[in-house]
Amino acid sequence: LPPSNIETIDPKTVFSDPRFQERGVKANANGGVTVTMVGMMFAYLPNEVHVPAGKPVTFRLTSADVIHGFEIVGTNGNTMVVPGYVSQFTTTFPTPGEYLIVCNEYCGLGHHTMSAKLVVEAAQ
Ligand code: CUA
């Protein structure tokens, strides 16, 4: 699907940009959450996030350097993380558990080590 809106960002100032200064998980009014993460050689910041099962989870991602991937293995969560742009998508994880997030775009010598953990927690 084509992106519904194009949101740009200066990759050189990602960490001082108000949209990405505070990274991690934030609760939304609808019971879902927004996850804000930065991809960079060769890590995601933060490298572990906890989200609720069965609620909408909106990911907001950008890169501080080169093109990275963002694939939540075993789910439909998958996007490119491109410097200069904010990638955003919303999905729901019905099944609690631990999921591996991997980079699926070759980004350099440490590409194969670039990963993070998504923990989907059962509703309270
Ligand atoms: Cu980041 Cu491959």
Side-chain angles (χ1 to χ4, degrees):
L1 290 177
S4 55
N5 64 319
I6 303 291
E7 183 178 346
T8 59
I9 186 169
D10 183 346
K12 295 185 294 294
T13 57
V14 160
F15 291 105
S16 56
D17 188 292
R19 292 168 291 174
F20 284 88
Q21 260 177 337
E22 278 184 46
R23 296 168 297 278
V25 182
K26 246 188 179 167
N28 294 331
N30 65 0
V33 297
T34 297
V35 176
T36 302
M37 294 175 88
V38 173
M40 57 191 297
M41 295 182 282
F42 296 100
Y44 300 97
L45 299 177
N47 69 0
E48 179 174 332
V49 290
H50 292 232
V51 303
K55 305 282 188 186
V57 178
T58 298
F59 290 88
R60 285 176 55 75
L61 309 158
T62 195
S63 169
D65 41 49
V66 301
I67 294 176
H68 299 281
F70 184 89
E71 177 183 356
I72 308 169
V73 177
T75 77
N76 65 0
N78 190 0
T79 191
M80 285 174 78
V81 182
V82 181
Y85 295 91
V86 177
S87 299
Q88 179 172 322
F89 67 94
T90 300
T91 189
T92 300
F93 303 99
T95 311
E98 289 191 7
Y99 297 84
L100 185 64
I101 298 169
V102 297
C103 181
N104 57 8
E105 296 283 337
Y106 184 74
C107 55
L109 288 177
H111 163 70
H112 64 286
T113 68
M114 185 169 170
S115 68
K117 188 199 284 186
L118 175 74
V119 181
V120 177
E121 297 178 332
Q124 302 301 303

